[in-house]
Amino acid sequence: MSFGTILTMAGGLGLFLFGMELMSDSIEKVAGARLRRILEIFTTNRFMGMIVGIIFTGIIQSSSACTVMVVSFVNSGLMNLYQAAGVILGANIGTTITSQLVSFNLSKIAPLILLVGVVVMMFTKKEKVRKVAEVVVGFGILFVGLSTMSQAMANMKNEPQVVNLLMSLKNPFLATLMGFALTAIIQSSSVTVSIVLLLANQDLLPLPITLYIILGCNIGACATAMLASMTGKKDAKRAALIHLLFNIIGTVIIYIALFVAGDQIVELIKSISADNGRFVANAHTLIKIAQVIMLFPFTGWLVKMTYLIVPGEDQKVGYRESYQLKYIGDKVVFNPATAVVEVIKELERMASLAEENLNRAMNALITLDEEDIAEVYEVEKNINFLNHAITDYLVKINQTTLPIEDLNSLGALFHVVNDIERIGDHAENVADAARQRKEEGVSISKEAQKELGDMLEMVNKIIRYAVEMFAKSDESHMQEIVTLEDQVDEKERELQKKHVERLTKGECSPEAGMIFSDIVSGLERVADHATNIAFAITTEEDAEDGDIKR
């Protein structure tokens, strides 16, 4: 084979890989957040999970990306293994859409597609439009690369040594091994199947042997998820194993079918295929559909098998566990598409700790319980640890290729960390007041205690509503939060006025008065911080909407 043919082949492969990567990444950036929400919502049962897996993978053109996302969801506790199994099976069918697209041979119009994408990128400044244009550019580059590889393969037909070598590949095991090795290296079964498709189109590969190469590709596609799960929890490893076991068992079943009725299967696929390229694409799709139909009823068994291979449970990080991250960090499978979801879960945990600590401090202010006071200071240290750890993580993910929606919300997340930390600081201030009360014997009247309790109840409600609105993007309590904030402000003015009246009448000491005034002011500021949290991730359109007045 001439050096020029090798260079042309290498260049075409490079363009194809780059186009595939650009297209997949751009789709994830444009639609990743929405697709992720679909994954979260519509995977309540295995069948729906399978449908979502097909659609999701068909859109982003990568079963590896879908499977790695599922692994990270399982790792974070956002999805269980039975839900994951359905999505993984669907992803195996969805990945065949790429080979179907390639088989239609759009190479003639690829330069035009590429030109349209580039022109749009050059003349638009809107980020979402640019990312959509990148998808089009990636699509165009992909088919330009295919065209280049096809030309190189056409030249290879004039090389007897190459033709003889490829056509002599008749050993099913070697063909499967070749498909596995190529896919594990390239980390994309779509790319390997596309190359096989082009070789078959040029009559450089016997059609029966392409079926075995495809089977090898299916197993090789598991490498990405297996590698991603290595640093994760045991359930993440099990999720990746579901993918591997499905493909190994499915391959064994298809092997047996080919051994028993190989000629009939080849003829059947030929009868629905216009050419050799369509044969490979149809074979890829039919093999996957057949595997899913046969194994879908046994997904529960697949999950149980993973527990035998990966026994035991991870050491659980409790919700109140000190100085440990539960949803993010080094022990979590990192995936840009799910990173922000995991940060929000960690922030929700941090907010709960801060709210509990505020209530613990307010209780200690009345009871003067030394253990409660000490506990407030200890939990505050943990909140500070979470503050620094989450902030560092946000800085880290800001340097990755996040979906556009997630990237736009990063600034708000930095503010939320700060607001939660400030609520924790106010709890510490209340503990300081409790300690001062205890050491100096300062007395607070029953009336003042009741007033503080009433205000705390209002503040607790606004914190709960705010965290729910932030964590779940649930705006059902939006108006209540706005109303509560106004009521807390009014309550603060009312209590400060009553406090001055008591001081004037000599009904409380100056020391008690200072403590009361500081705590009332602190609770009002806690309500402000909670309101900031609630409205942190609302879009500019929400802020400009006239229905809600803040």
Side-chain angles (χ1 to χ4, degrees):
M1 185 162 45
S2 69
F3 185 64
T5 301
I6 294 172
L7 280 180
T8 304
M9 183 70 184
L13 179 60
L15 286 171
F16 183 82
L17 290 172
F18 177 71
M20 178 72 75
E21 185 75 14
L22 179 63
M23 188 170 65
S24 181
D25 282 354
S26 300
I27 291 171
E28 279 197 64
K29 287 175 189 174
V30 172
R34 288 187 178 88
L35 291 170
R36 183 186 64 224
R37 282 195 287 273
I38 291 170
L39 265 181
E40 290 180 79
I41 296 168
F42 294 106
T43 54
T44 50
N45 64 68
R46 278 176 283 177
F47 181 75
M48 281 303 299
M50 184 184 72
I51 299 300
V52 170
I54 293 170
I55 296 168
F56 187 98
T57 309
I59 291 171
I60 65 172
Q61 297 285 300
S62 174
S63 61
S64 297
C66 179
T67 308
V68 170
M69 189 181 293
V70 168
V71 167
S72 65
F73 265 55
V74 171
N75 193 82
S76 303
L78 301 172
M79 183 183 286
N80 64 44
L81 284 172
Y82 291 93
Q83 292 170 317
V87 179
I88 289 168
L89 264 61
N92 276 276
I93 295 175
T95 193
T96 67
I97 291 173
T98 305
S99 57
Q100 291 291 344
L101 283 172
V102 170
S103 70
F104 284 112
N105 192 10
L106 302 175
S107 300
K108 290 182 180 178
I109 61 168
L112 179 60
I113 295 171
L114 182 57
L115 177 63
V116 170
V118 171
V119 168
V120 174
M121 283 181 64
M122 288 175 64
F123 293 101
T124 187
K125 293 182 180 179
K126 288 187 177 181
E127 188 66 19
K128 280 193 176 180
V129 177
R130 286 182 62 85
K131 292 303 174 187
V132 172
E134 281 185 16
V135 175
V136 177
V137 169
F139 193 73
I141 292 173
L142 184 152
F143 278 98
V144 169
L146 278 173
S147 177
T148 306
M149 282 196 291
S150 185
Q151 291 170 17
M153 289 176 188
N155 293 333
M156 286 163 59
K157 289 176 70 175
N158 300 321
E159 304 284 345
Q161 300 93 331
V162 175
V163 174
N164 292 336
L165 177 64
L166 291 171
M167 293 302 290
S168 66
L169 185 61
K170 298 186 185 298
N171 187 309
F173 178 76
L174 285 178
T176 305
L177 188 62
M178 184 177 78
F180 167 78
L182 280 172
T183 306
I185 293 167
I186 298 172
Q187 297 201 2
S188 173
S189 61
S190 300
V191 174
T192 312
V193 172
S194 297
I195 293 171
V196 172
L197 187 154
L198 292 177
L199 287 169
N201 242 352
Q202 297 293 337
D203 296 320
L204 290 170
L205 273 179
L207 291 182
I209 213 68
T210 60
L211 302 179
Y212 294 100
I213 298 175
I214 289 169
L215 291 174
C217 293
N218 294 339
I219 299 174
C222 303
T224 307
M226 292 298 295
L227 289 170
S229 70
M230 287 178 68
T231 58
K233 298 174 184 175
K234 289 187 176 181
D235 270 354
K237 293 180 173 68
R238 291 175 187 132
L241 270 172
I242 291 170
H243 191 205
L244 181 63
L245 288 172
F246 167 80
N247 280 290
I248 290 175
I249 296 170
T251 295
V252 170
I253 293 170
I254 300 298
Y255 246 88
I256 294 169
L258 289 173
F259 180 77
V260 173
D263 292 339
Q264 292 89 331
I265 291 170
V266 170
E267 289 304 317
L268 174 65
I269 300 172
K270 271 186 180 181
S271 68
I272 59 170
S273 306
D275 52 45
N276 289 355
R278 297 289 301 148
F279 175 92
V280 173
N282 290 338
H284 191 203
T285 302
L286 290 172
I287 285 171
K288 284 298 186 183
I289 291 173
Q291 289 175 334
V292 169
I293 290 172
M294 287 184 286
L295 293 178
F296 183 79
F298 305 102
T299 47
W301 290 11
L302 284 176
V303 173
K304 289 174 182 175
M305 283 177 68
T306 65
Y307 279 94
L308 294 174
I309 299 170
V310 183
E313 296 294 334
D314 289 297
Q315 183 179 350
K316 298 288 185 184
V317 176
Y319 206 75
R320 296 170 182 81
E321 195 85 34
S322 294
Y323 311 113
Q324 288 196 52
L325 295 164
K326 184 176 176 67
Y327 300 103
I328 61 175
D330 296 335
K331 294 182 180 179
V332 174
V333 176
F334 177 73
N335 187 306
T338 58
V340 166
V341 174
E342 289 154 359
V343 170
I344 289 172
K345 292 283 287 183
E346 200 72 69
L347 284 170
E348 187 180 7
R349 173 180 172 234
M350 182 182 173
S352 295
L353 291 173
E355 183 194 0
E356 287 175 6
N357 215 33
L358 178 66
N359 283 277
R360 185 182 293 111
M362 290 295 291
N363 183 64
L365 180 72
I366 306 304
T367 64
L368 302 180
D369 187 302
E370 186 59 43
E371 287 186 9
D372 272 350
I373 294 171
E375 182 71 8
V376 170
Y377 292 127
E378 192 58 39
V379 173
E380 172 58 15
K381 290 178 185 176
N382 188 31
I383 291 170
N384 288 335
F385 161 79
L386 291 173
N387 173 35
H388 293 301
I390 294 171
T391 301
D392 290 344
Y393 191 78
L394 286 172
V395 171
K396 172 188 171 184
I397 66 174
N398 192 34
Q399 298 165 357
T400 63
T401 53
L402 295 172
I404 293 172
E405 282 185 44
D406 290 346
L407 192 61
N408 291 339
S409 70
L410 271 189
L413 295 178
F414 279 106
H415 289 299
V416 170
V417 180
N418 184 60
D419 281 310
I420 296 172
E421 196 272 333
R422 293 296 297 133
I423 292 173
D425 288 344
H426 286 296
E428 188 175 35
N429 293 341
V430 175
D432 290 341
R435 180 153 284 174
Q436 179 190 348
R437 246 199 91 201
K438 185 172 183 179
E439 291 173 354
E440 298 177 8
V442 178
S443 151
I444 294 180
S445 68
K446 293 292 182 184
E447 183 185 359
Q449 289 180 24
K450 183 180 183 308
E451 289 171 349
L452 288 174
D454 291 343
M455 190 171 183
L456 177 63
E457 189 176 340
M458 295 168 67
V459 171
N460 277 331
K461 188 178 287 188
I462 198 172
I463 291 174
R464 284 195 297 273
Y465 285 162
V467 172
E468 184 178 339
M469 181 172 165
F470 164 73
K472 300 178 181 176
S473 296
D474 179 5
E475 299 183 1
S476 59
H477 295 299
M478 181 185 284
Q479 190 63 60
E480 289 172 87
I481 291 169
V482 174
T483 304
L484 272 170
E485 184 192 22
D486 292 338
Q487 289 174 352
V488 169
D489 290 345
E490 181 60 35
K491 189 74 171 176
E492 195 256 349
R493 287 191 290 269
E494 177 192 329
L495 295 188
Q496 293 288 12
K497 184 178 178 182
K498 287 185 177 180
H499 153 64
V500 171
E501 289 174 359
R502 282 194 294 268
L503 275 175
T504 305
K505 294 176 182 178
E507 293 176 357
C508 77
S509 65
E511 293 81 7
M514 286 183 63
I515 289 173
F516 182 87
S517 179
D518 287 346
I519 289 173
V520 168
S521 297
L523 288 174
E524 189 276 330
R525 285 194 287 272
V526 168
D528 289 341
H529 289 301
T531 305
N532 292 340
I533 291 167
F535 287 90
I537 56 173
T538 54
T539 61
E540 290 182 14
E541 289 80 5
D542 292 330
E544 292 169 1
D545 189 87
D547 295 335
I548 300 298
K549 302 293 184 185
R550 291 193 58 201

